[in-house]
Amino acid sequence: MTYDTVIKNGTIYTPEGAFVGDIGINGETIEAIQEGGGIAGSNEIDATGKCVFPGFIDPHVHIHLPFMGTNSIDDHASATQAALVGGTTTVIEMICPGPDDEPAAAFAEWKSLAEAGACCDYTFHLAVVRFDDIAKTQLREVVENEGVQSFKVFLAYKGALNISDENLLSLMKLAEELGVTITAHCENADAVDSMQKQLISEGKTGPEWHEPSRPRMVEAGGVNHLCEFALRTNASVYIVHTSCGVAVDKAMEARGRGVDVTVEAVIPHLVLDKSYAERPDFEGAKFVMSPPLRDASEHDALWNGLADGSISTIGTDHAPFNFNGQKDMGKDAFTLIPNGIPSIQERIDLVHTFGVCTGKIDMRRMVAACSTQPAKTFNMYPQKGALAVGSDADIVVYDPSFVGTFTQEDSLSKIDYCGYEGMERKGRADVVLLRGQVVAEQGTFVGSEGSGRYISR
Ligand code: URP
Ligand code: ZN
Ligand code: ZN
């Protein structure tokens, strides 16, 4: 039998193990995986000396994000092209409506933007900010009719995206009833608000004061709080962008008490530290995100959590705001700096460089955290997240021996800086296939705009 495309002679990472062989693709689907090789295709891609991974899934991105008086700078075309050249073939975007917006209208707005521009596959977590009777009815409908399987809550951003405890408890009961996972940004909106006011009143206005305004215990307390509600309601919870060991510990204590809790790390917290936000001349603003970048000693806590399974997934929390014209809205007060750091393109190479090449995690753990676990946690497995017969042919032929430098010039995101500028980079996606089509080659997007598909979960 001849296949449309065969990826030949690469080290293939399947759920069962890694071996050298060939993958045969017909149409959009993997139809054969042959250890030792020997299958033929009309189009053949030589993967000798390369790794062959399932397409990576970013479980936490912001593309359309009206936030802190501005809107993140990417559109669906730029963000997803950046994702693809970095080896990410599916993104889960946070729909973040305002407090007055109806959930159904927000879902329709985000979906239509993605339909028009997205080049990789996509699905959504729906943030619940408004929670009155209209919203409750619409949330049920969006889950039932649109295949949304995860809500998002913010225990942060007082007066903007924050959810009250009364609504949180009620929402978690609804989520449990609907079988929907609650993804949560865990801090304490009131505590942060109070500490921000105190620091500003003392004249502490620069980006270096962002971390002290939201210390680790605030985040750990938020994790504990959410998990107590999960224990009471039986809802499944997923803690996004966990930045420090003490927050992971709180989640693991709750897991020990029977809470179904999954922990996510994001790449800025694994690679950068709070000294970046302390850079002079307002440069630190480029590195303001929430929860904030922590002391460098937290890196080991997070990598160890990934190695021992306390932390399941690695996302980006890609939230791109330009340094010029957006971050500088907070020149006089760090509380006005739009929160977010870009990394949708760099994630896999950063995990490979700082996690695999340093021996902190192995290649299989990288594949699990960046592809298989996001697919399993968010009901896309094994259509996504696996090299297996019958799965979508989302495939990354990865060159682990590539050496280069992270730089803004290589970025397909629209943002005007690179959060990892000048850092040594080990590894690169050589060829990326989305449902059987080659869409990226050696850092260049070669697909077509709008070819991404919505994944109903
Ligand atoms: O700083 C961040 N993380 N910005 C994006 C919004 C969020 O909290 O995820
Ligand atoms: Zn967040
Ligand atoms: Zn986020």
Side-chain angles (χ1 to χ4, degrees):
M1 173 162 186
T2 301
Y3 297 89
D4 294 345
T5 302
V6 171
I7 298 172
K8 294 200 71 69
N9 207 28
T11 302
I12 303 171
Y13 283 76
T14 72
E16 290 76 37
F19 50 79
V20 174
D22 295 353
I23 295 184
I25 300 161
N26 274 335
E28 300 192 340
T29 309
I30 295 174
E31 296 231 326
I33 299 181
Q34 184 66 52
E35 187 168 357
I39 60 180
S42 317
N43 170 33
E44 296 191 342
I45 297 171
D46 181 14
T48 306
K50 309 229 165 61
C51 301
V52 185
F53 297 133
F56 292 105
I57 299 170
D58 192 334
H60 183 168
V61 305
H62 302 272
I63 299 174
H64 176 55
L65 177 62
F67 184 49
M68 296 187 72
T70 185
N71 204 327
S72 54
I73 201 68
D74 270 327
D75 55 32
H76 285 82
S78 61
T80 56
Q81 288 175 24
L84 284 167
V85 302
T88 295
T89 50
T90 300
V91 296
I92 313 184
E93 184 184 0
M94 302 282 175
I95 296 177
C96 293
D100 300 324
D101 299 337
E102 294 186 7
F107 180 82
E109 180 189 357
W110 260 261
K111 191 170 178 213
S112 74
L113 288 169
E115 273 168 356
C119 305
C120 74
D121 286 357
Y122 57 92
T123 187
F124 300 104
H125 304 299
L126 177 55
V128 180
V129 183
R130 170 176 171 168
F131 195 59
D132 53 14
D133 286 342
I134 292 172
K136 285 179 198 170
T137 304
Q138 292 186 358
L139 288 170
R140 282 181 184 279
E141 287 168 359
V142 171
V143 169
E144 279 158 21
N145 303 335
E146 305 285 357
V148 166
Q149 282 284 298
S150 40
F151 295 148
K152 171 79 184 286
V153 293
F154 290 91
L155 314 189
Y157 307 129
K158 185 173 172 149
L161 299 171
N162 183 37
I163 188 166
S164 70
D165 275 352
E166 185 183 1
N167 286 345
L168 178 61
L169 196 58
S170 174
L171 174 69
M172 288 176 81
K173 288 180 190 153
L174 178 65
E176 195 277 331
E177 182 199 324
L178 298 174
V180 166
T181 299
I182 296 280
T183 72
H185 173 138
C186 292
E187 291 185 287
N188 177 322
D190 282 324
V192 171
D193 185 59
S194 158
M195 282 184 271
Q196 285 181 332
K197 284 179 176 146
Q198 179 67 31
L199 288 163
I200 295 288
S201 76
E202 292 168 7
K204 296 171 174 167
T205 58
E208 68 275 23
W209 296 103
H210 178 68
E211 199 277 341
S213 77
R214 8 187 25 124
R216 293 177 313 162
M217 284 315 297
V218 165
E219 183 182 345
V223 170
N224 196 51
H225 187 68
L226 183 90
C227 288
E228 286 301 325
F229 279 27
L231 192 60
R232 189 174 287 254
T233 56
N234 243 350
S236 298
V237 291
Y238 175 95
I239 318 286
V240 301
H241 54 35
T242 312
S243 74
C244 53
V246 66
V248 179
D249 292 346
K250 288 292 173 203
M252 291 308 102
E253 284 166 30
R255 187 180 281 176
R257 295 198 298 277
V259 174
D260 179 13
V261 53
T262 303
V263 177
E264 172 194 89
V266 295
I267 201 67
H269 293 134
L270 286 161
V271 172
L272 305 172
D273 62 70
K274 69 178 184 184
S275 69
Y276 287 80
E278 293 164 355
R279 286 184 172 178
D281 303 324
F282 198 62
E283 273 284 307
K286 293 177 178 173
F287 302 97
V288 166
M289 68 173 293
S290 296
L293 299 178
R294 303 294 186 191
D295 195 274
S297 61
E298 296 295 345
H299 291 164
D300 275 350
L302 298 179
W303 287 114
N304 290 342
L306 280 157
D308 72 19
S310 318
I311 301 175
S312 299
T313 61
I314 305 175
T316 58
D317 196 13
H318 180 75
F321 295 99
N322 276 343
F323 183 59
N324 294 302
Q326 293 191 295
K327 290 281 186 181
D328 55 15
M329 291 161 62
K331 266 239 179 277
D332 297 326
F334 70 86
T335 51
L336 301 178
I337 300 169
N339 287 200
I341 300 177
S343 51
I344 199 166
Q345 183 167 329
E346 296 88 358
R347 175 181 62 139
I348 298 307
D349 300 331
L350 286 164
V351 173
H352 184 251
T353 305
F354 289 89
V356 177
C357 294
T358 58
K360 290 183 170 133
I361 59 171
D362 62 20
M363 206 71 109
R364 295 199 68 196
R365 190 75 195 105
M366 171 172 120
V367 173
C370 300
S371 181
T372 310
Q373 283 303 330
K376 286 184 173 171
T377 306
F378 295 115
N379 296 350
M380 294 185 278
Y381 189 86
Q383 179 191 352
K384 304 291 188 189
L387 293 178
V389 172
S391 296
D392 283 359
D394 298 346
I395 300 174
V396 179
V397 178
Y398 194 80
D399 180 1
S401 62
F402 177 86
V403 176
T405 306
F406 292 103
T407 172
Q408 159 68 9
E409 277 162 36
D410 290 341
S411 170
L412 300 193
S413 165
K414 289 186 171 173
I415 191 166
D416 65 0
Y417 71 96
C418 171
Y420 309 90
E421 188 70 42
M423 289 184 182
E424 191 190 25
R425 162 188 180 183
K426 292 179 180 159
R428 180 175 69 174
D430 205 46
V431 183
V432 180
L433 292 92
L434 175 69
R435 286 179 276 103
Q437 297 297 311
V438 174
V439 288
E441 283 174 320
Q442 300 178 350
T444 303
F445 174 69
V446 297
S448 48
E449 206 158 293
S451 57
R453 192 178 288 166
Y454 175 65
I455 303 159
S456 173
R457 298 179 284 126

